[in-house]
Amino acid sequence: MPTLTLPAPQPLAMPLSDALSRRRSKRAFTREDITPQQLSNLLWAAAGVTDPSGKRTAPSCLDLRAVTVFVLRADGAWRYDAAKNVLEQTTPEDLRAASTLGQHQFVDAAPVTLVFVAEETPRTKMARPSWIYLDAGTMVQSAYLAATAMGLGGVARGSVDGAKLGERMRLPATMKPIFCFTAGHPAP
Ligand SMILES: Cc1cc2nc3c(=O)[nH]c(=O)nc-3n(C[C@H](O)[C@H](O)[C@H](O)COP(=O)(O)O)c2cc1C
């Protein structure tokens, strides 16, 4: 399957306090694409590796780092390999609309939907499921802040059929989409 190298993530200039106060969920997007640089920055904020040990921008219960971010866009579903800063395609199918339960039309127009996928391993079984969700929650807040700092908008979406979406993304049964973050240029 194809891989794509992302540009190196670039620093974002907006003060953290401004990003925090301006952050809002946006549910209306133009069809304009986001740039590879913006995508790289967004993914790095959510799950970037910031230490040779593999530690990330976001904290992780028991340091399991069991949540991986995938990207859905017009050219397919892609796994973000944060250490290599590359995207690895899992399917060429456009699954953006398939990531909704049918009620979120704005997702079809938005250029990207990030999918937070929890991997079940013998070690993650030791953790409470709520802890894994907390990992994903901290990651999505970072994505919200990075989107805000770049003048983009986004919304966390818990209403996802994770089992069905995981199948369409061709994920193994041990990897479950738990929620999404749809992002793009906010419609005026
Ligand atoms: C875990 C979680 C799940 C959410 N699921 C959805 C969703 O399925 N659809 C949606 O439109 N918004 C969803 N939201 C966004 C919330 O509705 C939104 O954060 C809330 O209304 C507060 O607005 P704000 O984010 O602009 O401050 C979700 C937010 C979180 C944290």
Side-chain angles (χ1 to χ4, degrees):
M1 282 294 199
T3 60
L4 280 176
T5 301
L6 291 164
Q10 293 298 313
L12 302 177
M14 185 180 283
L16 178 59
S17 50
D18 287 1
L20 282 164
S21 59
R22 288 185 203 175
R23 184 214 60 80
R24 277 293 163 267
S25 294
K26 307 281 183 195
R27 298 178 184 81
F29 303 96
T30 70
R31 290 197 173 266
E32 187 186 348
D33 210 349
I34 66 169
T35 65
Q37 186 66 64
Q38 288 171 324
L39 179 60
S40 172
N41 295 345
L42 198 59
L43 290 168
W44 181 84
V49 173
T50 51
D51 186 89
S53 65
K55 285 182 187 285
R56 297 173 169 184
T57 49
S60 174
C61 71
L62 302 172
D63 206 16
L64 292 170
R65 297 175 227 140
V67 178
T68 300
V69 182
F70 288 71
V71 183
L72 307 181
R73 51 185 206 179
D75 62 356
W78 301 79
R79 186 179 83 90
Y80 174 50
D81 182 329
K84 295 184 186 151
N85 201 36
V86 301
L87 295 177
E88 294 168 349
Q89 197 182 58
T90 65
T91 171
E93 217 188 329
D94 180 356
L95 295 178
R96 290 173 297 171
S99 74
T100 76
L101 297 177
Q103 82 283 40
H104 283 141
Q105 299 303 323
F106 61 84
V107 176
D108 307 5
V112 294
T113 285
L114 308 190
V115 186
F116 294 82
V117 173
E119 184 170 12
E120 194 181 282
T121 67
R123 287 197 71 218
T124 61
K125 283 186 185 158
M126 295 169 1
R128 290 190 196 155
S130 59
W131 294 352
I132 307 289
Y133 281 76
L134 279 166
D135 273 27
T138 64
M139 294 163 81
V140 82
Q141 171 70 349
S142 297
Y144 262 114
L145 294 177
T148 304
M150 293 188 286
L152 300 174
V155 61
R157 293 191 297 107
S159 35
V160 172
D161 184 338
K164 207 180 272 180
L165 181 60
E167 258 177 50
R168 299 282 302 273
M169 290 168 68
R170 302 189 192 167
L171 302 181
T174 50
M175 296 194 73
K176 298 212 172 66
I178 52 181
F179 65 82
C180 294
F181 179 73
T182 293
H185 294 271

